[in-house]
Amino acid sequence: MIKHLIAPSLLAADFGNLARDLVMINETEADWLHVDIMDGMFVPNISFGPEIVKIAKKYAEQPLDVHLMIEKPERYIDVYRNAGADHISVHIETCPHLHRVIQQIKDSGAKAGVAINPHTSVHQLEDIIEDIDIVLLMSVNPGFGGQKFIYNTINKIKSVKQMITTTNSRALIEVDGGVGLQNAEVILQAGADVLVAGNSVFSAENPKLAIYALKNLGIQGLYA
Ligand code: DX5
Ligand code: ZN
């Protein structure tokens, strides 16, 4: 059985000590580095831009999993690809011509993902699921780290998993927002492949141990 993947979210790192935090992540079993780009329009918050992604690329040994929470993301695919993105996910809510944007991401050489907000029906993925590498299911309303996991996401994971099985899609299911040891097991049981973890890693007393515990669920006594 393939083990699930862990993607620590850069948004929760200490930006005054970014290189230190990225080197720390390299010393763990983290599989991807999740990178949140927010424009203050599609979401209320502004995070950072391509220059920080370049710094992440310089230090991180993991693939950069870039999550674009921006309007008209087609304007920035090449910018983030050139900054070092290995995966680029765009929100379905921002793309009236989603199929075209997915092709644009693939043509850039990155893996292509589609992110969907908590209120957006997974049925909207039906006609794109076979073309994508990642379904990024938002389990909070995007814009901020440290929010509470929305439980209905569990039903959505199950539905997407079924869709992937029936279509023979290769897409991985990535769950983003409010993920930690308290809910990781149920999220994975529902069919998720990748756990994004921001505050549950970077705000932990021991971030390395937090990643170890998320990666090795079920091994008792690792983490209180
Ligand atoms: C929220 C972002 C998330 C965020 C997750 O808009 O997309 O990736 O960093 O942070 P936590 O794990 O703290 O909810
Ligand atoms: Zn994200």
Side-chain angles (χ1 to χ4, degrees):
M1 198 185 120
I2 299 166
K3 219 172 179 190
H4 61 275
L5 307 181
I6 305 297
S9 179
L10 188 67
L11 190 67
D14 177 354
F15 279 76
N17 292 288
L18 199 49
R20 180 203 68 187
D21 277 6
L22 290 166
V23 169
M24 180 274 290
I25 295 291
N26 289 343
E27 293 165 357
T28 73
E29 294 178 86
D31 299 281
W32 298 353
L33 183 72
H34 187 77
V35 180
D36 288 311
I37 308 297
M38 304 177 179
D39 67 351
M41 293 292 286
F42 175 60
V43 291
N45 199 10
I46 296 177
S47 58
F48 48 79
E51 293 308 315
I52 297 286
V53 179
K54 285 182 196 163
I55 293 173
K57 190 66 182 175
K58 186 171 157 194
Y59 289 97
E61 290 169 0
Q62 307 76 24
L64 297 191
D65 178 50
V66 172
H67 175 193
L68 294 181
M69 285 162 274
I70 64 177
E71 289 188 354
K72 301 191 194 315
E74 63 277 6
R75 297 170 297 158
Y76 284 100
I77 304 303
D78 290 337
V79 170
Y80 284 101
R81 175 66 181 153
N82 292 336
D86 296 283
H87 315 155
I88 300 178
S89 293
V90 293
H91 268 264
I92 201 166
E93 300 85 1
T94 62
C95 293
H97 304 290
L98 183 62
H99 186 271
R100 181 183 293 155
V101 182
I102 292 302
Q103 297 314 314
Q104 194 188 342
I105 296 171
K106 287 180 167 176
D107 289 346
S108 81
K111 289 200 183 302
V114 172
I116 73 168
N117 278 342
H119 80 279
T120 303
S121 168
V122 294
H123 294 296
Q124 291 197 31
L125 294 167
E126 276 165 3
D127 292 299
I128 198 76
I129 193 79
E130 289 174 66
D131 298 305
I132 61 179
D133 302 293
I134 299 164
V135 173
L136 182 52
L137 282 179
M138 293 311 301
S139 40
V140 298
N141 288 294
F144 302 94
Q147 301 182 77
K148 193 170 174 290
F149 183 83
I150 296 171
Y151 204 78
N152 182 50
T153 310
I154 299 297
N155 297 326
K156 296 177 78 176
I157 298 168
K158 289 179 185 165
S159 304
V160 175
K161 185 73 184 174
Q162 205 165 20
M163 199 187 292
I164 286 171
T165 308
T166 49
T167 57
N168 260 326
S169 162
R170 66 184 170 283
L172 295 177
I173 302 177
E174 181 177 11
V175 178
D176 187 8
V179 176
L181 277 182
Q182 73 286 357
N183 52 22
E185 209 115 30
V186 63
I187 293 168
L188 293 168
Q189 271 162 17
D193 304 290
V194 188
L195 303 177
V196 176
N199 280 272
S200 64
V201 165
F202 288 98
S203 302
E205 210 173 301
N206 184 338
K208 284 188 188 176
L209 187 57
I211 292 173
Y212 185 82
L214 282 169
K215 185 77 184 176
N216 298 281
L217 292 163
I219 301 179
Q220 297 301 317
L222 278 175
Y223 196 80

